[in-house]
Amino acid sequence: MARIVVLTGAGISAESGIRTFRAVDGLWEDHRIEDVATPEGYAADPALVHAFYDERRRAVAAAEPNAAHLALAGLEARRPGDVLIVTQNIDDLHERAGSTRVSHIHGELGSALCEACGERMPWHGDLAGGPRCPSCGARALRPDVVWFGEAVYGLDDIFDAVALCEQFWVIGTSGAVTPAASLVAVAAEAGARTALLNLDAHDDLRLFDDVVLGPATVTVPEWVARF
Ligand code: OAD
């Protein structure tokens, strides 16, 4: 059981140079979301989708964790066993900062999924060109990321953890995507203390006990120093 559950989104990695999704133009890295983040987009143009995620994987490898990732890792180091990070991010910046309990509900760039045998495996190279699955040999590897309309990973365990935690913090996420957005309701209902640390306020702030607005590299180190 983790006393502190932290839900993170694209905003925590923004200051590491990784762009968020809902920019004003509605595009993700100059592509329409439906082209690069849906099963239909992948079926229509797998080469484009592979090129897109291969590029994201390289960009993440070149990025560094920032002060917000490092502060959460420091909190875990001070309070072993107390901190669980649930992230919507497909980068590995929490792990590279030193966090050890990280649940990637939207999958990871550093993982591939074989559509033939169902195996998920660590993957750090490109997927363009159709490399063979090391398990079954099929050329059926796709990015192990959760696209719109697909099931989020590990959600039952996360709902259980959130229902038992004492602190639930939401950092750098727009709160627009369910089911992640519904976790704060579970936490509040269960009596946890809730906090939002984000650049902008969400439309509905009623379920948050504390709201701290500002860039994550400033707000998160200050916030975790209190615990
Ligand atoms: P969004 O891009 O929707 O939202 C990012 C949030 O971070 C916004 O509320 C920004 O105000 C905030 N933000 C930006 N820069 C920040 C900074 N420096 N410090 C603090 N906050 C900052 O990203 P997510 O909420 O992560 O799903 O998006 C959730 C999911 O929607 C993603 O995982 C992805 C996407 O479609 C799938 O791919 C399935």
Side-chain angles (χ1 to χ4, degrees), residues 8-12 14-15 19-23 28 33 37 53 88-90 106 145-148 171-177 197-202 214-217 219:
T8 67
I12 199 167
E15 291 163 88
R19 275 159 66 185
T20 58
F21 303 92
R22 288 174 186 76
W28 182 18
I33 298 268
Y53 287 95
Q88 299 166 97
N89 297 345
I90 57 178
H106 288 166
V145 301
V146 175
W147 288 324
F148 286 93
I171 303 177
T173 176
S174 59
V177 173
L197 287 80
N198 209 45
L199 202 53
D200 312 301
H202 291 180
T217 55
T219 60

Side-chain angles (χ1 to χ4, degrees), residues 183-201:
L183 288 172
V184 66
V186 173
E189 171 81 7
R193 181 109 191 151
T194 59
L196 174 69
L197 287 80
N198 209 45
L199 202 53
D200 312 301

